[in-house]
Amino acid sequence: MNTVSLIRISSYYGCIAKFNSNPAGDRMTVSLPKLLVPALAALLAVAAPLPANAQAQQPEAHPPLYLGAAWYPEQWPESRWDADLTLMEQAHIRFVRVGEFAWSTMEPTEGDYQWEWLDHAIADAAHHHIYVVLGTPTAAPPAWLTTKYPETLRIGEDGRRDQHGNRQQFDWANPKYREFARDIAERMAKRYGHNPNVIGWQIDNEYARESYGPEDQKQFDEWCHQHYKTLDNLNTRWTTAYWSQTYTDWSQIPIEEKYGNPGLLLSWKHFVSDTWRSYQKNQLDVIRANADPSQFITTNMMGWFDGYDHYTVSQDLDLASWDDYVGEGHLDPYRNGAAHDLTRGFLRKNFWVMETQPGFVNWAPVNTPLDKGEVRAMAWHDIGHGADAVEYWQWRSALNGQEELHGTLVGADGTPVPLYSEVKQIGAEFAKAGPVLAGTSVHSEVAILHSYDSRWAINWQRHNKNFDPITQIVSYYKPLRQVAQSVDIVQPTVDLSQYKLVVAPGLEVITEAAAKNLIAYVQNGGHLVLGQRTGMKNEDNGLWPQREPGPLADLLGGRVDQFYAIDDKPGDTVPVTGLWGATTSKIWAEQLSTSSPDTQVLMRYGKSNGWLDGQPAAITRKVGKGQITYIGAWMDDAAMLNAARWMAKTSGVTPAFGPVPDGVDVYPREGNGKKVFILVNFNKAPQTVKLPSTMHAVLSGKDESTVTLNHYGVAVLQAK
Ligand code: GLA
């Protein structure tokens, strides 16, 4: 520790320590004039006991856009840190996330807390103008803990207890584990809660693995009791007479993940969501009680991941953040963009990309790299969708450990990999464009409605294996984004009055509260468009007796008479023609009918299976100043684009920017009296965009009326 601390102190107090880099990189040696050593040792003796707060150097103003890296100082000798932080600083990295897997370094044996290394890491980062997000280390409990308290280990669906050696091996509902988790979080918060270089907290890491042991089972049964109050109520709402499932005691209710009663499945997911929320709150409460309110609290979520209801878990956080990985292949700006918009919708404000791949990952079937320029394009795509930070996972691989081959910014020798210079460019651009984007966020005229209940309900009974709810959402999102150039994704119970158009692609589960909200939206003059399978189920994942769209059928003046899974074999798709052109319905087709004379038919099926022949495929009805539309066919991109244009026109939605060539993405952000547009060209060929007015091109520093963008080219334009 001494040599290590010497280096820290020398850089901390502005002394000159000359680092001799060697091929091992991490094993840097320090050559100090001999006479200086005793002086520094004396300094060390005085400086080491300083509390963490006093050691931290006050960094300058917070950057509006943060570039970051996941840094694991505990994996390296302290003598290496300054070299890493220097390289980070040179790349304009302004924050590191630290600590989220470091429990065995923080508390090597029970009750023996070691914070000096973390004090030093935070102080050293400050010295390099780098802020810190502290991760609580609870996703990776240390071996002494799980050995001494084996009840804290999770039990898998197969009934087997996890072992040590991987991560996420804890039981998220176990009271003993929660005690430990709260204790370590509280100690961290007490020590760093007022450290000016710590800007925020990440609780745990990517909640994902539930436990299925007797303790979890007991808590689930109690949850059911609390939620349903009486067994009669539960039995009725789950229709447990079916297959003799009737329960006569709460303890009889099993855990089912896939093939259980639909009411049981949904209840389990709600329990899982509530349990992750309370798991998080257990730590969040002690952090909040001890930390300065300026330090945000977040957790890193996972985009489209549906292991729990992210709205439930987000509600206690200050900031939503997610880990944005492409994995194999290239960035799909729509599917990925929708995941950004989804995350922005958790708290309905800007969010952070807490992790993203520096080129490639290590866990996809083929870990292909993003192209040269694509990482930069992706970073700006993130910011465009409302991210205020982009953090690369990770700075450097540990020399051993499960993720040795993952992309990094620094190689095993401790020197930059080729991508480093691209990230450095991103950092320089964030620094330049940050002041322009400060105080701006995404504002949309169009909202897409999304619920986990609906995605789960569809996935449990897809009816057609190809009916992927995310693909369905994106089939609406993509054309709507092309037309409106900005879309929000929100849950169906939020206040929708700000939107001109609200689209529910596959809201299979509609609760009474959601139905009331949607009816009010239409009655107040909004245009509500419902996609296939919407309004089929109630809050218990049971069928609404009205048939689709359930409680909205009266307002629609129409309904789904029958739904049909459509095979993808040639000749099995169903022709559809009408207002949006001639197309086919694939995967799914719903035979609609109208019950009200003012409900109009927009699209009809052609000759196919006999049942659908000539029947309505899309219908609409004006209700006062509002309108409600139902689309029962799964149409191709061209027809969906026509449908989106029609939706926009009938609702008064206008494009946020104006015409751009296909493959050029536009991301509007506004606020503080500013309007900013980020443009990214995903086409291989250069594209020229005529701007709607002369704008200030922030990255080039010039005023422009047209911009030409190369492949993955980016422009950040401020309207005058
Ligand atoms: C996740 C985790 C990280 C790391 C990366 C690798 O997002 O949070 O710890 O394992 O994946 O891609």
Side-chain angles (χ1 to χ4, degrees):
M1 193 65 149
N2 270 357
T3 331
V4 155
S5 301
L6 267 181
I7 294 154
R8 182 187 63 76
I9 295 297
S10 66
S11 75
Y12 196 78
Y13 288 94
C15 299
I16 300 156
K18 184 167 166 272
F19 291 93
N20 298 322
S21 49
N22 64 21
D26 49 294
R27 306 202 194 290
M28 296 205 150
T29 53
V30 184
S31 124
L32 294 168
K34 276 210 173 90
L35 277 178
L36 251 182
V37 173
L40 284 170
L43 258 181
L44 168 66
V46 177
L50 281 180
N53 290 355
Q55 288 189 354
Q57 177 170 319
Q58 183 77 45
E60 73 270 46
H62 291 261
L65 296 182
Y66 268 106
L67 184 72
W71 183 44
Y72 298 94
E74 72 277 17
Q75 297 169 2
W76 301 97
E78 208 165 323
S79 55
R80 167 68 203 182
W81 297 355
D82 195 63
D84 277 321
L85 292 163
T86 302
L87 281 170
M88 288 184 207
E89 188 178 5
Q90 284 166 358
H92 311 275
I93 284 176
R94 298 303 313 276
F95 85 99
V96 283
R97 188 194 57 190
V98 170
E100 85 279 9
F101 294 115
W103 200 336
S104 67
T105 311
M106 295 172 181
E107 193 183 358
T109 55
E110 188 171 359
D112 168 23
Y113 299 98
Q114 296 293 332
W115 299 115
E116 288 76 15
W117 69 274
L118 190 50
D119 300 348
H120 299 170
I122 295 169
D124 289 0
H127 184 75
H128 287 275
H129 314 287
I130 294 173
Y131 290 98
V132 172
V133 172
L134 278 180
T136 68
T138 48
W144 60 257
L145 195 163
T146 52
T147 310
K148 185 164 173 197
Y149 306 96
E151 71 272 26
T152 62
L153 284 167
R154 76 181 273 281
I155 294 180
E157 273 180 285
D158 58 2
R160 289 173 53 181
R161 234 179 235 296
D162 275 9
Q163 293 184 342
H164 208 83
N166 200 337
R167 57 180 168 180
Q168 297 181 317
Q169 71 273 39
F170 61 90
D171 177 347
W172 92 137
N174 177 266
K176 190 78 199 166
Y177 193 66
R178 290 202 176 187
E179 244 176 63
F180 275 108
R182 191 176 173 95
D183 177 71
I184 196 80
E186 186 170 31
R187 283 173 195 276
M188 289 178 78
K190 284 196 165 138
R191 195 166 182 98
Y192 304 111
H194 293 275
N195 185 313
N197 206 49
V198 173
I199 50 171
W201 296 83
Q202 174 189 298
I203 295 178
D204 204 86
N205 192 80
E206 295 189 343
Y207 312 139
R209 299 182 79 211
E210 293 79 46
S211 184
Y212 305 86
E215 174 65 36
D216 314 290
Q217 169 82 61
K218 193 176 117 240
Q219 291 189 22
F220 176 49
D221 294 343
E222 281 165 13
W223 184 96
C224 288
H225 192 166
Q226 254 181 23
H227 189 75
Y228 287 99
K229 309 285 189 265
T230 67
L231 282 168
D232 275 354
N233 183 34
L234 178 143
N235 283 320
T236 309
R237 285 168 60 180
W238 292 6
T239 320
T240 50
Y242 185 81
W243 286 357
S244 258
Q245 288 163 5
T246 314
Y247 299 107
T248 54
D249 193 280
W250 295 102
S251 65
Q252 295 163 352
I253 301 169
I255 295 175
E256 276 289 345
E257 279 263 287
K258 229 174 174 178
Y259 302 112
N261 170 293
L264 169 65
L265 291 176
L266 191 56
S267 293
W268 168 249
K269 280 294 185 198
H270 287 169
F271 166 75
V272 165
S273 309
D274 286 349
T275 307
W276 279 124
R277 182 183 177 202
S278 63
Y279 173 82
Q280 173 177 272
K281 208 157 181 306
N282 178 51
Q283 296 185 43
L284 185 141
D285 285 347
V286 288
I287 297 174
R288 204 156 266 159
N290 290 289
D292 192 272
S294 65
Q295 294 181 342
F296 64 76
I297 306 178
T298 188
T299 193
N300 52 340
M301 297 181 163
M302 288 184 278
W304 290 112
F305 174 72
D306 70 351
Y308 57 86
D309 187 313
H310 290 50
Y311 299 108
T312 300
V313 174
S314 301
Q315 63 190 298
D316 301 315
L317 299 171
D318 302 313
L319 176 77
S321 68
W322 77 291
D323 297 346
D324 184 4
Y325 289 98
V326 172
E328 188 172 339
H330 295 276
L331 178 72
D332 173 343
Y334 293 105
R335 202 173 165 105
N336 198 75
H340 280 309
D341 295 347
L342 174 72
T343 307
R344 198 178 67 247
F346 295 154
L347 294 173
R348 303 189 80 190
K349 61 179 190 184
N350 290 7
F351 60 94
W352 278 30
V353 171
M354 194 55 95
E355 292 181 17
T356 193
Q357 66 194 59
F360 55 89
V361 299
N362 68 321
W363 43 258
V366 184
N367 297 307
T368 49
L370 298 181
D371 290 343
K372 196 167 185 186
E374 194 175 359
V375 167
R376 173 175 172 251
M378 186 168 168
W380 281 108
H381 153 95
D382 302 348
I383 302 297
H385 278 281
D388 283 340
V390 176
E391 186 207 272
Y392 290 94
W393 194 96
Q394 60 174 330
W395 173 248
R396 180 181 181 183
S397 292
L399 293 180
N400 209 325
Q402 275 90 327
E403 296 171 297
E404 291 166 325
L405 302 190
H406 200 282
T408 57
L409 297 179
V410 164
D413 67 346
T415 68
V417 300
L419 179 69
Y420 173 90
S421 55
E422 187 169 319
V423 170
K424 185 174 178 177
Q425 183 188 353
I426 298 168
E429 291 175 349
F430 278 13
K432 200 167 191 184
V436 174
L437 284 154
T440 66
S441 55
V442 180
H443 297 261
S444 311
E445 295 181 342
V446 180
I448 282 191
L449 302 182
H450 165 272
S451 88
Y452 289 92
D453 288 4
S454 296
R455 277 171 57 197
W456 292 324
I458 292 174
N459 276 328
W460 285 319
Q461 299 185 27
R462 279 196 172 190
H463 209 64
N464 178 338
K465 66 180 183 346
N466 297 324
F467 201 115
D468 170 31
I470 302 172
T471 308
Q472 187 198 17
I473 291 169
V474 176
S475 76
Y476 285 78
Y477 174 87
K478 181 178 173 184
L480 285 167
R481 201 171 192 293
Q482 285 169 327
V483 169
Q485 298 175 331
S486 186
V487 173
D488 285 354
I489 299 184
V490 295
Q491 53 179 340
T493 42
V494 302
D495 178 4
L496 297 167
S497 54
Q498 74 186 81
Y499 300 112
K500 293 182 176 167
L501 173 65
V502 170
V503 181
L507 206 60
E508 180 156 295
V509 171
I510 289 201
T511 62
E512 276 174 29
K516 234 172 120 192
N517 195 37
L518 298 184
I519 291 168
Y521 172 72
V522 174
Q523 284 168 343
N524 291 330
H527 185 180
L528 174 67
V529 178
L530 309 174
Q532 316 85 282
R533 294 177 85 138
T534 293
M536 190 187 268
K537 307 261 195 102
N538 65 18
E539 64 181 295
D540 295 306
N541 203 9
L543 296 167
W544 276 110
Q546 301 93 321
R547 303 199 205 170
E548 298 160 70
L552 303 175
D554 280 351
L555 191 72
L556 177 66
R559 69 169 193 185
V560 174
D561 277 351
Q562 189 54 276
F563 53 84
Y564 305 97
I566 307 295
D567 211 342
D568 56 3
K569 294 199 183 79
D572 278 343
T573 51
V574 178
V576 191
T577 50
L579 188 66
W580 306 325
T583 177
T584 51
S585 193
K586 54 178 185 176
I587 301 173
W588 194 261
E590 290 172 331
Q591 177 183 341
L592 309 182
S593 66
T594 58
S595 55
S596 170
D598 55 351
T599 303
Q600 290 171 24
V601 176
L602 303 173
M603 299 287 284
R604 279 186 191 277
Y605 297 104
K607 198 161 170 38
S608 55
N609 64 6
W611 304 110
L612 284 165
D613 299 7
Q615 298 300 313
I619 57 180
T620 191
R621 184 185 187 204
K622 291 211 161 89
V623 184
K625 282 196 193 130
Q627 187 163 356
I628 177 167
T629 299
Y630 192 100
I631 300 174
W634 187 316
M635 300 179 291
D636 67 11
D637 280 3
M640 285 305 288
L641 186 57
N642 287 337
R645 287 192 179 120
W646 173 85
M647 290 178 214
K649 197 164 161 224
T650 51
S651 321
V653 170
T654 49
F657 176 82
V660 286
D662 278 355
V664 172
D665 249 20
V666 178
Y667 311 102
R669 286 181 54 150
E670 63 181 282
N672 273 359
K674 294 176 283 195
K675 253 183 186 263
V676 185
F677 300 95
I678 296 166
L679 267 53
V680 179
N681 177 23
F682 288 100
N683 297 292
K684 289 240 185 287
Q687 301 291 325
T688 297
V689 182
K690 193 173 164 348
L691 310 184
S693 59
T694 302
M695 293 185 180
H696 183 63
V698 178
L699 301 182
S700 69
K702 294 186 197 142
D703 285 353
E704 308 279 11
S705 54
T706 60
V707 289
T708 298
L709 302 170
N710 291 328
H711 186 203
Y712 296 131
V714 174
V716 180
L717 304 163
Q718 184 175 10
K720 290 183 159 277

